[in-house]
């Protein structure tokens, strides 16, 4: 008899975003003709940069000729793209990486879900609370114990180092959903803790290009000693609009050690995992990624990042009169208190019914998210402006 992984029974019934989509669809069916404005999921809406489009076309054209056609590529990603990422980390952040420490994938969601598979199931996992649900759900599926690190108004939404011994620590900066960005000193405290306790930090930097304050770190490797204890996951989704195109990467430094493994062992294990489970990112998409990484692509992509950040400013400005608003300064997410401590899902329904705006209920990101909601700055400007006006005019708070 085949048995199932009963850890699935411990999960909440549905993943957060499909549940939001289900409720939105139900509302739409009951209220045909009502225009709904979506500031829920962090899904990009603006066209790809022209230079990136050229790269994607180049990738297609290469497949049309026998001299340039490629089939399977390296599971770890094309050498040229791995080198381009290493060069970008050096020139933009002064972080030195070997290209072979960088593993290209079809997105940061898969990597942040899969990375836990190379660690023991007896590891105790610390997550920021609230956090991107993938960290918690994948570790519950694997049967690990979770320790929540509360992020609240008192600690400016960045947690104190764990008071109990933990083995894997997930940090996301800028944080999804709160938009909080730790300082160098705050990250240093975590690196120090990880090294002292032989813990490994999994650092999700998917939104790092939204940090405009130059004193804030974009990569954990800007912190001394981090290569010995941290893995970084990153994405082309939010920095280059690849949410539908799919491209990401994970950095596993050779210096990283876990328990008493030798340096390089964790890198080899991730290499083994990826070569076994994955056949490499699409060759066309990697050509697009190469264009996104070069100087022209970067400049064009940053224009789009600024566009979304102007949305964030408009939302922030528009909500400040009615709500206590956090985030949205170095991140494309705003983290907002529900009025009178209202339950997050109840407020989700109220927002949809009265203002016809979709937001994300804070409790979907963890227990400390209760009493908050997240507003995404990804959207067409006109839609964002309409949503803000509708909240101001129609929401009864
Ligand atoms: C979010 O809205 O939190 C993200 O867009 C979801 C994701 O990146 O998977």
């Amino acid at each position: 008899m085949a048995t199932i992984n009963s850890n699935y029974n411990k999960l909440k019934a549905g993943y957060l975003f499909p549940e939001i989509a289900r409720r939105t669809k139900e509302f739409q069916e009951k209220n045909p003709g009502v225009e709904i404005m979506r500031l829920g999921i962090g899904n990009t809406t603006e066209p790809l940069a022209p230079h990136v489009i050229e790269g994607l076309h180049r990738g297609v054209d290469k497949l049309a000729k026998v001299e340039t056609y490629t089939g399977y590529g390296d599971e770890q990603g094309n050498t040229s793209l791995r080198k381009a990422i290493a060069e970008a980390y050096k020139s933009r952040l002064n972080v030195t990486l070997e290209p072979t420490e960088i593993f290209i994938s079809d997105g940061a969601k898969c990597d942040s879900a899969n990375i836990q598979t190379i660690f023991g199931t007896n590891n105790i996992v610390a997550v920021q609370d609230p956090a991107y649900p993938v960290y918690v759900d994948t570790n519950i599926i694997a049967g690990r114990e979770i320790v929540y690190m509360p992020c609240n108004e008192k600690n400016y939404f960045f947690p104190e180092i764990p008071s109990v011994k933990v083995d894997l620590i997930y940090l996301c900066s800028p944080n999804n959903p709160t938009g909080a960005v730790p300082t160098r000193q705050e990250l240093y405290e975590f690196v120090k803790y990880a090294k002292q306790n032989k813990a490994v930090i999994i650092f999700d930097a998917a939104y790092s290009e939204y940090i405009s304050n130059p004193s804030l770190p974009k990569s954990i490797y800007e912190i001394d000693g981090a290569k010995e204890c941290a893995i970084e996951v990153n994405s082309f989704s939010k920095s280059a609009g690849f949410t539908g195109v799919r491209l990401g990467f994970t950095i596993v430094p050779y210096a990283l050690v876990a328990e008493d493994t030798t340096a390089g062992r964790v890198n080899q294990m991730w290499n083994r995992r990826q070569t076994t489970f994955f056949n490499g990112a699409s060759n066309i998409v990697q050509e697009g990624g190469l264009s996104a990484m070069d100087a022209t692509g970067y400049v064009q992509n940053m224009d789009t990042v600024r566009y979304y950040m102007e949305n964030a400013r408009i939302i922030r400005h528009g909500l400040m009169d009615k709500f206590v608003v956090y985030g949205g300064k170095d991140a494309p997410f705003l983290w907002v208190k529900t009025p009178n401590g209202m339950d997050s899902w109840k407020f989700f329904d109220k927002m949809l019914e009265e203002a016809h705006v979709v937001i994300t209920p804070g409790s979907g990101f963890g227990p400390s998210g209760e009493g908050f909601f997240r507003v995404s700055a990804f959207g067409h400007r006109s839609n964002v402006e309409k949503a803000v006006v509708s909240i101001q005019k129609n929401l009864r708070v």
Side-chain angles (χ1 to χ4, degrees):
M1 181 180 70
T3 59
I4 56 160
N5 179 351
S6 58
N7 291 325
Y8 273 79
N9 300 335
K10 299 180 194 160
L11 295 171
K12 285 195 189 133
Y15 185 64
L16 176 61
F17 296 106
E19 176 57 19
I20 291 174
R22 190 192 65 74
R23 289 191 189 213
T24 308
K25 189 164 171 263
E26 200 175 277
F27 176 82
Q28 200 148 38
E29 278 163 8
K30 279 193 200 141
N31 301 275
V34 167
E35 188 190 0
I36 293 176
M37 290 146 280
R38 291 166 205 271
L39 302 179
I41 191 165
N43 198 2
T44 50
T45 55
E46 300 313 296
L48 295 183
H51 189 66
V52 175
I53 292 290
E54 276 168 29
L56 290 167
H57 281 303
R58 189 174 60 238
V60 173
D61 291 342
K62 279 186 171 178
L63 296 180
K65 293 193 201 111
V66 74
E67 304 81 39
T68 48
Y69 173 84
T70 50
Y72 294 126
D74 294 339
E75 292 89 345
Q76 304 87 342
N78 291 349
T79 304
S80 50
L81 182 56
R82 299 171 91 188
K83 275 190 183 156
I85 294 171
E87 279 160 21
Y89 266 72
K90 184 69 195 166
S91 61
R92 292 175 204 155
L93 306 173
N94 199 25
V95 166
T96 308
L97 297 170
E98 293 294 329
T100 46
E101 292 176 310
I102 301 165
F103 295 83
I104 311 295
S105 71
D106 57 356
K109 181 176 183 179
C110 310
D111 285 358
S112 52
N114 292 328
I115 195 74
Q116 47 82 25
T117 60
I118 61 170
F119 294 100
T121 48
N122 56 346
N123 283 338
I124 298 173
V125 177
V127 290
Q128 281 171 284
D129 169 28
Y132 182 42
V134 170
Y135 318 142
V136 169
D137 284 2
T138 54
N139 279 291
I140 287 180
I141 290 169
R144 293 192 188 87
E145 185 186 329
I146 311 279
V147 171
Y148 287 104
M149 300 185 289
C151 299
N152 46 44
E153 288 169 295
K154 278 197 209 120
N155 58 20
Y156 302 99
F157 301 102
F158 191 74
E160 291 77 30
I161 54 168
S163 53
V164 293
K165 193 176 171 314
V166 298
D167 308 301
L168 290 179
I169 303 168
Y170 286 76
L171 295 176
C172 176
S173 174
N175 182 265
N176 175 13
T178 64
V181 181
T183 61
R184 282 168 204 274
Q185 183 59 35
E186 284 170 325
L187 275 191
Y188 173 73
E189 294 301 327
F190 270 84
V191 167
K192 198 166 93 184
Y193 172 93
K195 285 173 70 179
Q196 274 166 1
N197 291 281
K198 293 192 170 180
V200 171
I201 298 171
I202 296 160
F203 188 78
D204 185 345
Y207 298 92
S208 55
E209 291 302 351
Y210 288 80
I211 299 175
S212 58
N213 179 342
S215 72
L216 297 172
K218 289 187 171 182
S219 164
I220 192 149
Y221 304 124
E222 291 179 63
I223 310 303
D224 279 346
K227 280 195 195 162
E228 289 149 51
C229 64
I231 290 173
E232 182 160 304
V233 179
N234 212 325
S235 172
F236 285 73
S237 288
K238 313 297 158 91
S239 58
F242 276 35
T243 41
V245 180
R246 307 307 306 148
L247 195 66
F249 59 95
T250 284
I251 301 165
V252 188
Y254 290 120
L256 178 76
V257 283
E259 78 177 54
D260 291 317
T261 60
T262 49
R265 174 78 177 120
V266 181
N267 175 289
Q268 277 170 10
M269 286 176 71
W270 185 242
N271 188 59
R272 183 70 171 85
R273 194 268 166 211
Q274 289 298 81
T275 49
T276 306
F277 282 71
F278 184 55
N279 250 342
S282 146
N283 43 15
I284 300 169
V285 170
Q286 290 190 75
E287 285 290 338
L290 210 46
S291 296
M293 288 314 297
D294 73 20
T296 310
Y298 186 63
V299 167
Q300 292 182 0
N301 283 328
M302 288 311 284
D303 281 344
T304 312
V305 165
R306 278 189 289 275
Y307 175 93
Y308 292 128
M309 287 311 292
E310 175 60 11
N311 286 350
R313 194 197 60 76
I314 291 167
I315 298 166
R316 195 182 164 77
H317 190 75
L319 298 192
M320 261 162 39
D321 283 353
K322 281 193 182 204
F323 301 98
V324 181
V325 184
Y326 297 98
K329 285 189 176 155
D330 287 290
F333 295 123
L334 295 99
W335 188 239
V336 189
K337 263 178 118 165
T338 59
N340 310 315
M342 189 187 253
D343 166 275
S344 303
W345 275 110
K346 269 201 193 115
F347 187 74
F348 170 90
D349 290 334
K350 181 177 166 68
M351 184 69 113
L352 189 55
E353 276 156 28
E354 293 176 10
H356 309 150
V357 175
V358 180
I359 42 107
T360 306
S363 60
F365 297 100
S368 297
E370 186 50 272
F372 286 87
F373 62 99
R374 190 193 77 174
V375 187
S376 160
F378 294 104
H380 299 310
R381 180 67 43 78
S382 57
N383 189 50
V384 166
E385 285 169 346
K386 258 193 237 167
V388 168
V389 169
S390 178
I391 293 170
Q392 285 169 339
K393 272 185 26 195
N394 303 322
L395 188 77
R396 293 188 296 275
V397 291

